[in-house]
Amino acid sequence: MQARVPSAGTGRSSERPPEQSPGWQRGARGAALAALLLCTLPSQAGISATSTGLCAADRPMSAAVQDRRLRLAARVRQELEASGRTVALVARSGLDLERFGQRYSHAGVSLRASPNTRWSVRQLYYACDEGQPRIFDQGLAGFLLAADEQPEARLTLLLLPAQASAALEAAALDRRQALQLLAARYSANAYAFSTRYQNCNQWVAELLAAAWGSWDNRDKEGEGRAAPADGPGDPLDATAALLPTRAQAQDWLRARGYEPHRFESSPWLYLLSAFVPLLHFDDHPEADREAAVYRVSMPESVEAFVHRQVPGTERVEFCQDERRIVVRRGWEALDADCEAAPGDEVVPLADRAAEQ
């Protein structure tokens, strides 16, 4: 796995052109959708993918916001340690996705036995400097600092029962399996049931299938099949051919009712793929393109699938604003205002500057 040092930022350009013509507004909305779905590491900021600035550097995060994010990371780590688990599915908020009906943008797998640091998040990210997706292990603090500078930050943990947890941990820690499921090409709006592209949340969904499905990819002579053509080209040993492929993982997900999020937009969005990088539509079914519907894996679709598929999964949600951290256990989501309800834990966030 590659090791890169995370830093603050989101990879979204904040500049606005002087004239906002209708054509520019359509392009800006398409670029905004790509930016909202883009899984970049902040360390890649400053390396522009194209003139849209999707990988351009954003303003640095303020010290006050960093401090609150670090305290949130410490509280999440405390929850993980107390859970008795060795793995958790984790998702964080990023940019404002409310206009698209989503609150969380980026998912990964937090591993107690991570080769990086304890409880680091194994995830897919788009490497702007290389122009391709990679698998990356990132500490919890870096995972939260990678979100946009908003007064509020949100994170969810899914804590699985023992059998499902052990299977997911084994699959996530298996370098061959992690890379077997990594596509060569990235698309922010990748169709959930195509192997042509992939986004960060789709890699997590396919990893769940690899972990929980029953696989036997040996032929009659007991030899492995050829490695899939959609792999990243990493020189893995021959046993990688025995692991489930992306196509098999997607078939498993579809057969069990996995439902990606439906993004609905105007038909002109399809035309923007020629001008907006990392948005692609050639992997989506023709009927969906004509209806301007794009089915994309998002953290909330992965979470809903796990809730149905694995009874006994526990959910913990964290919401941090300028005053406090609210912790809720259970499947009822916190509201948009981060208001605590009876039974929620509230951790005050006193201004440290004011305390000195």
Side-chain angles (χ1 to χ4, degrees):
M1 303 298 168
Q2 294 190 351
R4 297 177 183 269
V5 179
S7 59
T10 63
R12 180 184 64 167
S13 173
S14 59
E15 296 181 359
R16 295 171 64 92
E19 296 182 3
Q20 298 185 5
S21 65
W24 178 88
Q25 290 173 350
R26 290 195 295 269
R29 186 174 179 186
L33 177 59
L36 288 169
L37 300 178
L38 182 60
C39 306
T40 56
L41 280 184
S43 59
Q44 304 301 307
I47 306 174
S48 295
T50 68
S51 59
T52 62
L54 290 178
C55 288
D58 208 343
R59 292 176 299 177
M61 185 177 287
S62 69
V65 172
Q66 287 189 48
D67 178 68
R68 290 193 291 270
R69 296 285 171 84
L70 290 173
R71 285 193 269 177
L72 174 59
R75 181 62 190 84
V76 173
R77 189 177 296 108
Q78 179 185 16
E79 189 74 24
L80 287 166
E81 292 289 355
S83 71
R85 308 304 208 279
T86 57
V87 65
L89 287 167
V90 58
R92 65 161 170 79
S93 59
L95 302 172
D96 184 3
L97 289 172
E98 293 294 338
R99 57 183 146 162
F100 298 105
Q102 295 290 284
R103 185 166 288 165
Y104 294 92
S105 61
H106 186 58
V109 182
S110 180
L111 295 157
R112 190 176 70 180
S114 169
N116 183 40
T117 60
R118 193 174 175 96
W119 295 116
S120 285
V121 179
R122 180 155 289 187
Q123 60 194 291
L124 181 153
Y125 79 98
Y126 178 75
C128 286
D129 54 349
E130 300 175 31
Q132 65 184 70
R134 294 291 188 188
I135 301 300
F136 179 74
D137 294 326
Q138 185 179 38
L140 275 174
F143 186 70
L144 283 164
L145 289 170
D148 198 17
E149 178 165 7
Q150 301 283 343
E152 178 185 287
R154 292 175 182 261
L155 182 141
T156 63
L157 296 176
L158 296 188
L159 304 172
L160 304 160
Q163 185 175 356
S165 182
L168 177 59
E169 180 185 25
L173 286 173
D174 186 339
R175 176 177 178 272
R176 298 166 307 155
Q177 182 65 86
L179 293 177
Q180 177 89 332
L181 297 174
L182 177 63
R185 293 179 291 179
Y186 181 87
S187 177
N189 63 319
Y191 177 53
F193 299 114
S194 169
T195 61
R196 183 168 297 176
Y197 308 108
Q198 190 177 44
N199 73 4
C200 51
N201 304 308
Q202 184 62 29
W203 179 82
V204 173
E206 292 171 13
L207 184 68
L208 296 180
W212 299 339
S214 297
W215 310 105
D216 186 356
N217 283 340
R218 295 169 297 178
D219 62 21
K220 293 180 181 179
E221 288 73 34
E223 299 294 333
R225 298 173 297 102
D230 60 4
D234 194 91
L236 306 178
D237 65 40
T239 58
L242 300 175
L243 299 171
T245 66
R246 293 194 62 214
Q248 289 177 308
Q250 291 175 13
D251 288 345
W252 188 92
L253 290 167
R254 192 197 291 269
R256 283 153 184 79
Y258 176 67
E259 297 179 2
H261 180 70
R262 289 168 55 92
F263 285 97
E264 299 182 5
S265 64
S266 301
W268 52 258
L269 186 61
Y270 173 73
L271 302 176
L272 288 174
S273 60
F275 308 101
V276 178
L278 307 178
L279 278 180
H280 301 88
F281 299 92
D282 53 335
D283 55 331
H284 290 263
E286 182 178 357
D288 284 0
R289 295 199 304 266
E290 291 177 352
V293 172
Y294 307 104
R295 289 178 284 169
V296 180
S297 286
M298 296 295 291
E300 291 178 36
S301 53
V302 173
E303 182 177 286
F305 176 75
V306 173
H307 191 197
R308 295 193 306 270
Q309 188 72 23
V310 187
T313 298
E314 300 173 21
R315 182 179 187 270
V316 185
E317 185 173 17
F318 303 80
C319 185
Q320 166 257 303
D321 59 19
E322 295 176 326
R323 300 176 297 114
R324 60 189 179 173
I325 298 170
V326 178
V327 184
R328 174 171 294 178
R329 295 171 180 83
W331 286 92
E332 182 180 351
L334 286 162
D335 63 21
D337 296 324
C338 236
E339 289 297 326
D344 292 342
E345 177 187 349
V346 179
V347 181
L349 292 177
D351 188 341
R352 291 187 179 180
E355 294 175 348
Q356 297 175 352

